[in-house]
Amino acid sequence: MTWIVAYGAAALVFGVLDAVWLGWAGKNFYRPNLGELMADSFRMGPAIAFYIAYIAAIVWFAVRPGISGGLGAAALNGALLGAICYATYDLTNQATMKVWPVQVTLVDIAWGAFATAVAATLATYAATRFA
């Protein structure tokens, strides 16, 4: 039951945070910076695959250590996981694409660290409190 609660809480928190962020940043940050690199419409399939896998990674790499090590451990591991995962995407794009703004990379890495830390911390809290 612990892992179901942790996964559900991480999915809820990360999903809400990312929906709010992407709702604002899509038109106000990404479109102005990336322009024609962006697809005309959102593709649900790849997004769902990402969220399923990423939430599992949050639970395994941040919530699991947080259950035994406390909320600080969950937050730290979440921040590190988010920064590394988002850096992998953005730095690979910077290395392989003709145009990939440094400011997009920096903002994405910061966002990944923040959102993942918050999701991991709250999921750890939910798992230890309600499971």
Side-chain angles (χ1 to χ4, degrees):
M1 186 61 145
T2 300
W3 306 117
I4 293 169
V5 171
Y7 192 94
L12 177 66
V13 173
F14 191 82
V16 167
L17 287 172
D18 222 30
V20 170
W21 169 250
L22 292 174
W24 176 85
K27 63 181 176 278
N28 296 301
F29 180 69
Y30 293 115
R31 180 83 49 201
N33 281 292
L34 300 175
E36 294 299 314
L37 291 175
M38 290 184 65
D40 291 332
S41 62
F42 182 74
R43 296 185 194 116
M44 189 61 76
I48 290 171
F50 165 76
Y51 286 111
I52 289 170
Y54 195 65
I55 299 306
I58 291 171
V59 171
W60 183 259
F61 292 110
V63 174
R64 188 175 56 87
I67 288 174
S68 60
L71 296 179
L76 176 62
N77 285 308
L80 291 171
L81 174 68
I84 290 166
C85 289
Y86 279 66
T88 300
Y89 171 78
D90 283 282
L91 293 172
T92 298
N93 286 341
Q94 234 176 344
T96 61
M97 299 178 81
K98 287 183 182 181
V99 177
W100 192 266
V102 172
Q103 66 191 25
V104 170
T105 296
L106 296 175
V107 168
D108 270 358
I109 293 169
W111 172 251
F114 170 78
T116 307
V118 171
T121 303
L122 293 177
T124 300
Y125 176 79
T128 56
R129 173 105 164 106
F130 303 114

